[in-house]
Amino acid sequence: MAEKARCDICGKSFDSEKQLKQHKHDVHDNAYDKANAYDKATKSHHNKSSKASKKLMIVIGIGVLIALVVGIGVYSVIRPITSSASRPTIDGIQCNTMGQANFHIHAHLDIFINSEHYIVPSQIGIKPDDRCLYWLHTHDNSGIIHVESPERRDFTLGQFFDIWNKTFNNRGIFNYTASAGNNTLSVYVSGHKVNGINYRDFKLSAHDEIAIVYG
């Protein structure tokens, strides 16, 4: 009896090699083709899904960017309602968002009230909420007046007190009124008494040592 041909893939037996070849073609080759087609289809679907996800992320990113730009624009429209009113120009002196360096000098101020040293506070002329500073201002309580202006010009002691929003003239300082006797008001610069002028009009110069004495 002739030996039957056996399929080396599935183990089935056939009477001839011709039948075996036909079997492999019909069964196993078609199965491989189907499996290969499925694999290609799966990869194609994955690639399409990946591309769709990337496009979706790009669209979301553009949407977020547009929303931010619109939000910033709306905020910039409504925000200035209070800023201009809260930082007015005082005696021709502006409150700028950046420091000015074209003209920059320092003068030092001491105030004595009834023989007691009055501390000149920090942050005079600086408005943190508006992020601006006037050309005349103090950074700390050392009494140093910073003059930082976009142009070289005269600045006076009176202008500093106006920015400070405190009373100062030849008749008194703060709520203290000058009078004859014990309640006198004097101004000294580098140890020399100032006479014959309106104290408010005294011009600030670099390295001035100014002392205002009441009492």
Side-chain angles (χ1 to χ4, degrees):
M1 183 175 179
E3 185 178 352
K4 291 187 176 184
R6 182 180 295 277
C7 177
D8 58 356
I9 298 175
C10 65
K12 285 187 175 183
S13 298
F14 297 91
D15 294 332
S16 65
E17 288 292 333
K18 183 177 180 181
Q19 290 178 346
L20 176 60
K21 288 181 180 179
Q22 187 64 41
H23 163 74
K24 284 186 175 181
H25 178 267
D26 292 343
V27 177
H28 298 300
D29 288 350
N30 285 344
Y32 173 79
D33 290 341
K34 289 179 180 179
N36 190 43
Y38 175 79
D39 184 60
K40 289 182 178 179
T42 302
K43 288 182 179 179
S44 176
H45 176 72
H46 175 74
N47 290 337
K48 289 181 180 178
S49 298
S50 178
K51 290 180 180 179
S53 297
K54 289 181 179 178
K55 288 182 179 180
L56 179 61
M57 292 301 294
I58 291 173
V59 171
I60 293 174
I62 293 174
V64 171
L65 181 61
I66 292 173
L68 286 173
V69 171
V70 172
I72 292 172
V74 171
Y75 177 73
S76 65
V77 170
I78 64 175
R79 183 184 60 84
I81 293 176
T82 58
S83 62
S84 60
S86 61
R87 53 179 185 182
T89 298
I90 299 175
D91 297 345
I93 299 171
Q94 299 175 3
C95 194
N96 300 138
T97 55
M98 296 182 63
Q100 306 296 322
N102 289 342
F103 181 52
H104 188 182
I105 63 172
H106 299 140
H108 184 260
L109 174 64
D110 282 314
I111 299 175
F112 297 92
I113 304 293
N114 295 324
S115 300
E116 296 290 333
H117 187 227
Y118 183 95
I119 301 297
V120 178
S122 64
Q123 304 293 295
I124 296 172
I126 297 178
K127 301 175 74 66
D129 291 343
D130 293 320
R131 298 180 182 178
C132 73
L133 66 166
Y134 284 93
W135 302 342
L136 302 184
H137 57 266
T138 64
H139 288 288
D140 51 34
N141 61 3
S142 65
I144 294 176
I145 301 173
H146 294 255
V147 179
E148 300 175 19
S149 168
E151 59 183 357
R152 180 178 292 275
R153 51 175 280 194
D154 291 332
F155 294 95
T156 66
L157 201 53
Q159 288 174 323
F160 175 74
F161 274 86
D162 288 345
I163 291 171
W164 189 3
N165 196 28
K166 296 292 185 180
T167 299
F168 173 67
N169 51 50
N170 289 50
R171 299 182 300 278
I173 182 172
F174 307 148
N175 59 337
Y176 298 95
T177 301
S179 63
N182 295 328
N183 296 325
T184 59
L185 179 67
S186 302
V187 175
Y188 297 83
V189 178
S190 300
H192 301 286
K193 188 174 182 180
V194 176
N195 293 308
I197 68 168
N198 184 337
Y199 294 150
R200 288 181 51 83
D201 295 336
F202 177 79
K203 297 176 184 178
L204 300 174
S205 299
H207 312 301
D208 276 345
E209 290 288 340
I210 305 167
I212 299 175
V213 181
Y214 174 85

